[in-house]
Amino acid sequence: MRKQVSFRGRLAATPLVVALLLGGISLATIFAQSGRNQVKAPKTSTTKTKSPGSIAGPTPRPGSQTRPVSQSPAKDSPKDNSSDEVDESDTVRVVSNLVPIPASVVDSKGIAVTGLRLEDFELRVDGQLKTVSELTRTETSVRMAMLFDNSGSLDFARDFEKQAARHFFRKVMRPADEAAIYSIETESYLAQPLTSDVGLLERTIESFGKPEGATSLFDAIIDASAYLHPYKGRLVLVIVSDGVETTSRNDFETTMQRVLAADCQIFIVQTGLYDGANLRALAAERRMEQLSGQTGGAVYMPKTTTELNDAFVQIAADLAHQYVLSYYPGDERRDGRFHNIDLRVKARKDVRIRARRGYYSPKASNLVANGW
């Protein structure tokens, strides 16, 4: 049966035929460029940018609260091979059992002790002497997350806190380092993914407005530690907060376990607790001391703006003089238990070591469930 072509269809097609004949375009070219052979263009992202001047960066881990920010992939970030089709039966999951132990060593005057070698350290795990397999110094890159309290509980010297935080990034950041910023609020979120752009970090801090809302500090700590965990290098959380927790879904014990499991070291600049001690503030102080002490970090409680700046300077100096020891667990690996760490410098009684006091050895089933 012959196809019926409407008169209107003929009129619509006539200008196209004339144009093709005048332009000398062959029918073969038309067929070669037909819709059957066209390649679909990739969809463009419509992600909104929160921080001014943001550049592309890594995607936060699942479960991390975040506001959309367009960023470029960070160095040493997990690679996305989603475009490759791989049979699950051919996939081999490799999990490193390495336990990194960042350690700061100072003498009786508080001056950093440098020049120590691998054989100068003694490591005991659960009271048993263990072998330290490797020792590196400050050339190890730092992946850092600053947790900046933007809740209503923190308004002490607000402008200076932001100024000191900006100065900290300029002081501590090296070309090999990267930092992210979390905003602690009722719903804490990732305000700036990992980047080595110091100017971008400063602008993110500057963009924070008047503090308001509740404080989901524990949730922010858990999200930030999970976000850093897949990356190489020293993993550091710097918390600028009064430490008062109000609205988190997670409790303190869970927070401590997650931080230790993620191998993060915590430094705390605890501000805003100077109008008078109360039970809530004292409890917050004890929790902050536990978090920093167990992870090998430190807590600072500045009472003046000068002391606030000094706290940031001290953290930067601490990171610049650290030793990083590597320990590979033996029989205790993947048993799901907490293991105590005791690190000492042999033949030196005049030094003080600040290092993590233990680690959680996750069960194999938990490693798979958490994607680690």
Side-chain angles (χ1 to χ4, degrees), residues 157-177:
R158 179 65 174 179
D159 289 340
F160 191 81
E161 284 173 359
K162 294 167 70 172
Q163 179 184 338
R166 296 196 303 269
H167 177 74
F168 172 74
F169 286 124
R170 289 195 295 269
K171 183 77 175 178
V172 75
M173 292 283 289
R174 304 167 303 173
D177 300 333

Side-chain angles (χ1 to χ4, degrees), residues 150-302:
N150 284 306
S151 68
S153 66
L154 189 65
D155 57 7
F156 169 78
R158 179 65 174 179
D159 289 340
F160 191 81
E161 284 173 359
K162 294 167 70 172
Q163 179 184 338
R166 296 196 303 269
H167 177 74
F168 172 74
F169 286 124
R170 289 195 295 269
K171 183 77 175 178
V172 75
M173 292 283 289
R174 304 167 303 173
D177 300 333
E178 291 180 311
I181 299 174
Y182 274 77
S183 177
I184 304 173
E185 302 180 15
T186 305
E187 290 293 333
S188 299
Y189 68 95
L190 177 62
Q192 174 56 57
L194 280 171
T195 180
S196 57
D197 187 338
V198 175
L200 182 54
L201 294 165
E202 291 177 343
R203 291 194 294 273
T204 301
I205 292 291
E206 187 59 37
S207 70
F208 292 144
K210 180 179 174 60
E212 58 184 6
T215 312
S216 295
L217 175 60
F218 295 162
D219 289 348
I221 293 173
I222 289 175
D223 285 348
S225 60
Y227 176 69
L228 291 182
H229 182 71
Y231 293 90
K232 297 178 182 179
R234 290 175 286 168
L235 308 181
V236 177
L237 302 185
V238 178
I239 302 174
V240 184
S241 172
D242 58 8
V244 175
E245 160 63 44
T246 58
T247 53
S248 284
R249 294 178 292 275
N250 297 281
D251 59 19
F252 179 73
E253 288 71 23
T254 300
T255 303
M256 179 69 78
Q257 290 178 8
R258 297 286 184 85
V259 168
L260 289 171
D263 298 325
C264 288
Q265 187 178 20
I266 294 184
F267 291 89
I268 299 167
V269 180
Q270 193 169 7
T271 60
L273 298 178
Y274 322 120
D275 293 333
N278 54 56
L279 292 178
R280 192 174 175 186
L282 292 174
E285 182 180 340
R286 285 195 298 270
R287 287 195 297 260
M288 296 303 99
E289 288 175 348
Q290 286 181 273
L291 277 171
S292 60
Q294 287 290 334
T295 62
V299 58
Y300 301 92
M301 298 184 63

